[in-house]
Amino acid sequence: MDLVVLDFKRPDKKLIEAFREVSVASAHECMGRKNYLDPSIHPFYPGMKLCGPAITCKCQPLDNLTLHAAMHIAQAGDVLVGTLGGDPNQGPFGDCCTTLCKAKGLEGVVLDSGVRDGATIKDMGFPIFCKGHSVTGTIKNEFGNVNHPISIGGQLVRPGDIILGDDDGVVVIPIEIAEQTLEAALKRQADEVIIRERFKNGEDAWTMGNYSEYLRKKGYDINI
């Protein structure tokens, strides 16, 4: 088995751009409420967003050597997704790595670890989703693999899957269902615009859903 896979299928760029209009919540709902990374992996600072194909790496805990290999081969627009075993008490990524990723044109980074150099990264505005802040340094000693399927935040991520991140967290969109997920998510969001307008005009969810009748059919009569 090759430890580093250089070639994999990336989604069409137009598809990626279209997904920028989709929220994490909408994509999650339209995939049957699946593929949402554990919410312990969240934006390093509020307001961070990312959307792009995954380049994956599996690192040894407290060791960022494999992470550097992934950054070395990553292409502009990629989202670097790396697992270091899920321990938040390690800081394998900081402002130097952020500078490198920005220079290479990466879309963002998702890690199941901590990240250091918070103030500098905040000023850079580079999208990072992680388990929080940690200054605990790492070494460069052992190698894992790059661009193999990985498990992170309780979900499977494969190279080329679309990674979507916003203030609600991160969702993984398998490439084979990306187009249908996009269509369903955009429709859902358009429908929600109409719902919000109806709420503003005095309707509420209970009336719109006819929930009193729904409960009566179930044997409940709550008299509202």
Side-chain angles (χ1 to χ4, degrees):
M1 179 185 74
D2 292 335
L3 293 179
V4 177
V5 176
L6 295 176
D7 296 319
F8 61 91
K9 182 180 180 182
R10 286 177 170 84
D12 184 84
K13 290 183 179 180
K14 290 183 179 179
L15 182 63
I16 294 293
E17 289 305 308
F19 262 107
R20 295 189 188 279
E21 302 300 319
V22 173
S23 70
V24 166
S26 293
H28 174 61
E29 290 285 350
C30 292
M31 290 187 292
R33 299 178 182 173
K34 298 177 181 178
N35 304 328
Y36 176 60
L37 269 59
D38 187 281
S40 62
I41 300 175
H42 55 270
F44 201 38
Y45 287 102
M48 291 183 164
K49 294 184 178 182
L50 59 76
C51 178
I55 177 171
T56 63
C57 65
K58 182 179 180 181
C59 307
Q60 302 299 327
L62 293 168
D63 193 315
N64 72 351
L65 180 61
T66 312
L67 192 61
H68 280 275
M71 288 188 286
H72 176 66
I73 68 168
Q75 298 181 12
D78 286 345
V79 175
L80 178 56
V81 184
T83 175
L84 289 96
D87 184 0
N89 298 310
Q90 51 184 329
F93 193 95
D95 55 9
C96 288
C97 289
T98 299
T99 301
L100 173 60
C101 288
K102 287 194 70 173
K104 290 178 70 75
L106 269 65
E107 174 73 16
V109 173
V110 179
L111 300 171
D112 63 354
S113 67
V115 169
R116 63 199 302 176
D117 302 326
T120 313
I121 291 175
K122 183 180 181 181
D123 290 340
M124 291 180 178
F126 183 71
I128 298 174
F129 290 70
C130 60
K131 288 196 169 185
H133 298 252
S134 176
V135 299
T136 304
T138 55
I139 60 173
K140 297 173 179 63
N141 185 47
E142 298 184 56
F143 199 81
N145 61 60
V146 179
N147 284 333
H148 291 265
I150 63 170
S151 176
I152 178 172
Q155 302 298 332
L156 176 70
V157 180
R158 303 164 304 168
D161 286 343
I162 296 175
I163 306 299
L164 195 63
D166 62 23
D167 278 340
D168 287 334
V170 179
V171 70
V172 184
I173 304 157
I175 191 170
E176 64 270 16
I177 63 168
E179 291 188 1
Q180 66 194 67
T181 301
L182 173 65
E183 182 180 356
L186 291 176
K187 182 181 183 305
R188 178 185 176 87
Q189 291 179 178
D191 290 343
E192 288 181 340
V193 171
I194 297 172
I195 290 171
R196 289 194 294 271
E197 285 301 315
R198 292 178 69 178
F199 286 170
K200 290 177 183 178
N201 291 326
E203 296 184 71
D204 66 19
W206 190 269
T207 303
M208 287 168 55
N210 198 17
Y211 292 133
S212 291
E213 180 61 25
Y214 171 77
L215 286 177
R216 274 193 290 271
K217 291 179 179 180
K218 286 180 168 290
Y220 300 94
D221 191 350
I222 60 174
N223 297 316
I224 64 172

